[in-house]
Amino acid sequence: MLKVTFSAACRFVILIAFCCSAMVCFSQEPSHSISGADADKLLVTRVEPAYPVSVKDANVAGNVIIHFNIQKDGSTGQVQAFYADTGTRKFAMIDHPEVHQAVLDAIKQWKYRPYLVDGKPAEAATMAILRFDFCKQDSSCQSEPAEFKVTVVPAPRTPVSGEILLNEKQVEGKLVKQVQPRYPHMAKIAHVSGDVVLHILIDKQGHVAQVQAKSGHPLLIQAAVDAVKQWEYQPFMIGGQVVQVGADVTVRFHM
């Protein structure tokens, strides 16, 4: 009886160890990444996404950025519709599930020649930008959509009661803890760099209580927000009283 119990326990421990190991391996990013232009040189089969009728009827056009891995056999894996930006008649941005699904279905059918490292196939992360343009697919369309732009459309901000507005230089001198942002992997692949401007509210304890994006590339904004939320300042005093202040701050991303 004891022998059977011990054997079952051993099998359970081995199973748990195997599952944990598999999860770690699956979650790891490929050790190699290549630009979209370099990936295009390896592309053998490309399937274009179907334009969803409901999206086309709404006169929505734009770009969808896709992040995926080229597997060792040239197939695609871990495909993710990352972000869509547009210039359109009706909308400043696209974030439409039907568009994303159409793109995912198409990318999964793409086929590449294996990416070689030292003569051996290797898995590599890359990206692609697909354009949805209803004018190109409808000859009755008489005018072109607006020029494509990367746009941030912040929600209207309600000033916080008692908030004192300062400029960036005024709060910079009180900064005691500055966490540098982690450069997003997707932004590196896309060779995206630039500044992100955020409006922050600093509470009476010197902590960043609120953060709102004002401008910047969408691939960089979240990394900037995550870093700035960890910044700390000396408490601000005006007229002998500790106050909460608001200011714009700039986070720079340069490769």
Side-chain angles (χ1 to χ4, degrees):
M1 184 68 176
L2 288 175
K3 186 175 182 180
V4 173
T5 303
F6 178 76
S7 177
C10 286
R11 288 198 299 271
F12 178 77
V13 170
I14 292 171
L15 178 61
I16 292 297
F18 175 80
C19 291
C20 291
S21 175
M23 289 174 66
V24 170
C25 291
F26 181 78
S27 63
Q28 288 179 337
E29 286 277 359
S31 56
H32 304 283
S33 62
I34 58 176
S35 68
D38 288 338
D40 285 344
K41 297 175 183 177
L42 301 174
L43 187 59
V44 176
T45 302
R46 177 185 173 109
V47 176
E48 295 300 328
Y51 207 128
V53 175
S54 61
V55 178
K56 182 178 178 181
D57 289 345
N59 282 357
V60 175
N63 296 335
V64 179
I65 298 176
I66 305 299
H67 181 210
F68 59 97
N69 296 338
I70 299 175
Q71 313 283 32
K72 292 181 180 180
D73 63 358
S75 61
T76 59
Q78 298 189 31
V79 184
Q80 182 182 14
F82 195 88
Y83 169 76
D85 67 89
T86 74
T88 71
R89 292 188 181 89
K90 289 190 175 182
F91 304 103
M93 298 179 70
I94 289 180
D95 189 10
H96 200 292
E98 288 187 44
V99 172
H100 287 189
Q101 190 58 53
V103 170
L104 295 180
D105 292 342
I107 295 282
K108 288 176 181 178
Q109 301 177 66
W110 289 14
K111 188 73 175 179
Y112 291 82
R113 293 193 303 275
Y115 174 69
L116 302 179
V117 177
D118 296 330
K120 297 180 180 180
E123 187 175 355
T126 189
M127 56 83 67
I129 301 177
L130 297 183
R131 179 171 180 171
F132 281 75
D133 187 342
F134 62 88
C135 285
K136 286 186 176 180
Q137 302 191 30
D138 185 354
S139 58
S140 65
C141 180
Q142 299 298 319
S143 59
E144 291 293 324
E147 182 182 355
F148 286 82
K149 298 178 181 179
V150 174
T151 309
V152 176
V153 185
R157 182 178 180 275
T158 303
V160 176
S161 177
E163 175 186 2
I164 307 297
L165 293 177
L166 301 178
N167 62 43
E168 188 165 6
K169 287 292 184 183
Q170 288 174 308
V171 298
E172 195 174 75
K174 290 278 193 176
L175 185 61
V176 294
K177 178 184 176 183
Q178 183 177 27
V179 175
Q180 295 300 321
R182 178 178 176 272
Y183 214 116
H185 183 67
M186 184 66 177
K188 285 184 178 180
I189 294 175
H191 299 289
V192 171
S193 61
D195 295 346
V196 175
V197 178
L198 307 172
H199 184 84
I200 64 173
L201 175 69
I202 305 168
D203 65 21
K204 294 181 179 181
Q205 288 72 45
H207 301 135
V208 177
Q210 294 181 17
V211 183
Q212 182 182 36
K214 295 188 69 176
S215 66
H217 196 286
L219 291 179
L220 303 174
I221 287 176
Q222 190 57 53
V225 170
D226 291 342
V228 170
K229 282 181 177 178
Q230 302 175 67
W231 290 9
E232 295 179 5
Y233 293 81
Q234 295 175 359
F236 289 81
M237 296 189 66
I238 296 179
Q241 293 186 335
V242 179
V243 296
Q244 56 185 359
V245 302
D248 291 347
V249 297
T250 303
V251 181
R252 293 180 168 83
F253 291 84
H254 297 290
M255 299 183 69

